[in-house]
């Protein structure tokens, strides 16, 4: 189910950060009440391999996101206690010590299920036990959501497990959406901050193409 153009699910989810305090975060309410954009990025598991590189990459880009009035929030289906242990594990032991943003602990998978981002390849009913069994790891893919100040999703993407993300592309998308919000123009392919945008009409596209694609 695609969420672009729709409100983000209205759910409270456990979260923790470097303090180790567990609290509830509602992404929709956070965006609306704080009047900020949110980048929510999901990763499969704590204490794994590609995942810490991504969490450190988002931490390294924090200043750029903050300049753009954007909150950074990570998420997985691990428990708050496991998050806290990983947050206190040094880099030279594969940890994410130094990460300051909150990390959702969607242990019951309520939000991940609603977003339909879990690695479940099949569900089957076991007649002998009466249980529903799943194939797959039942952890999340590398899904990313950009949410505006009204709680509306303006970008979503999902990477397979081996593919790490590029934080620069999300910064570019936030810049583009902010330009649309402020100027009412649309942003063409490969648009970067400071580049020419265009009016969303026949004259606008004709003018843009004549100037930039000769």
């Amino acid at each position: 189910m695609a969420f672009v153009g729709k409100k983000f699910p209205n759910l409270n989810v456990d979260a923790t950060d470097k303090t180790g305090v567990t609290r509830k975060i509602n992404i929709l309410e956070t965006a609306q009440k704080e009047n900020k954009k949110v980048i929510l990025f999901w990763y499969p598991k704590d204490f794994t391999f590609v995942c810490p590189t991504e969490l450190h990459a988002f931490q390294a880009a924090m200043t750029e996101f903050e300049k753009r009035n954007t909150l950074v929030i990570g998420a997985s289906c691990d428990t708050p206690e496991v998050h806290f242990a990983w947050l206190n594990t040094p880099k030279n032991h594969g940890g994410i010590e130094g990460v300051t943003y909150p990390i959702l602990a969607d242990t019951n998978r309520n939000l991940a299920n609603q977003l339909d981002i879990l690695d479940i390849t099949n569900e089957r009913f076991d007649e002998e036990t009466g249980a529903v069994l799943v194939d797959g790891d039942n952890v999340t893919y590398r899904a990313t959501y950009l949410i505006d100040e009204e709680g509306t999703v303006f970008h979503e993407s999902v990477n397979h497990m081996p593919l790490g993300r590029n934080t620069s592309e999300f910064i570019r998308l936030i810049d583009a959406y902010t330009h649309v919000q402020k100027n009412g123009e649309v942003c063409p392919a490969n648009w970067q901050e400071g580049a020419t945008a265009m009016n969303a009409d026949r004259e606008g596209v004709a003018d843009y193409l004549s100037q930039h694609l000769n």
Side-chain angles (χ1 to χ4, degrees), residues 11-16 23-27 30 73 102-104:
L11 286 177
N12 297 319
V13 183
D14 283 342
T16 193
R23 57 192 173 97
K24 297 288 186 183
I25 290 182
N26 184 308
I27 299 294
T30 297
I73 301 176
I103 306 174
L104 299 187

Side-chain angles (χ1 to χ4, degrees), residues 8-203:
F8 194 80
N10 185 11
L11 286 177
N12 297 319
V13 183
D14 283 342
T16 193
D17 58 20
K18 65 177 184 176
T19 68
V21 176
T22 300
R23 57 192 173 97
K24 297 288 186 183
I25 290 182
N26 184 308
I27 299 294
L28 176 66
E29 291 182 354
T30 297
Q32 293 174 337
K33 290 180 179 179
E34 297 195 26
N35 193 35
K36 291 180 181 290
K37 293 181 175 68
V38 175
I39 178 165
L40 172 67
F41 73 97
W42 294 80
Y43 61 92
K45 298 177 185 178
D46 292 356
F47 291 99
T48 52
F49 317 113
V50 175
C51 297
T53 69
E54 291 196 306
L55 275 85
H56 285 300
F58 279 102
Q59 181 65 40
M62 280 284 287
T63 301
E64 294 302 315
F65 286 115
E66 288 170 351
K67 285 180 186 176
R68 292 160 172 83
N69 196 41
T70 301
L71 301 172
V72 176
I73 301 176
S76 80
C77 297
D78 297 280
T79 67
E81 293 80 9
V82 175
H83 283 339
F84 185 56
W86 202 27
L87 284 160
N88 283 279
T89 301
K91 292 178 183 178
N92 62 358
H93 287 88
I96 57 168
E97 188 176 45
V99 166
T100 60
Y101 50 81
I103 306 174
L104 299 187
D106 188 30
T107 311
N108 57 20
R109 291 164 170 74
N110 284 342
L111 182 53
N113 264 312
Q114 192 161 343
L115 295 171
D116 194 23
I117 55 174
L118 288 166
D119 174 24
I120 298 175
T121 57
N122 184 49
E123 293 186 8
R124 61 189 189 282
F125 180 73
D126 187 319
E127 293 185 359
E128 184 177 341
T129 63
V132 176
L133 305 178
V134 299
D135 296 322
D137 289 337
N138 202 23
V139 297
T140 66
Y141 293 106
R142 300 185 193 282
T144 312
Y145 297 86
L146 297 180
I147 301 146
D148 72 13
E149 298 86 348
E150 295 181 353
T152 300
V153 177
F154 64 92
H155 167 84
E156 63 181 306
S157 58
V158 183
N159 288 14
H160 206 347
M161 309 299 188
L163 304 177
R165 285 160 283 203
N166 185 334
T167 57
S168 297
E169 173 60 5
F170 301 121
I171 291 170
R172 189 192 73 83
L173 288 166
I174 290 168
D175 285 342
Y177 190 75
T178 301
H179 183 92
V180 173
Q181 288 176 308
K182 290 182 177 178
N183 300 287
E185 296 178 315
V186 294
C187 296
N190 300 322
W191 184 91
Q192 298 283 346
E193 178 65 30
T196 302
M198 62 186 187
N199 293 323
D201 53 34
R202 291 181 183 276
E203 291 182 1

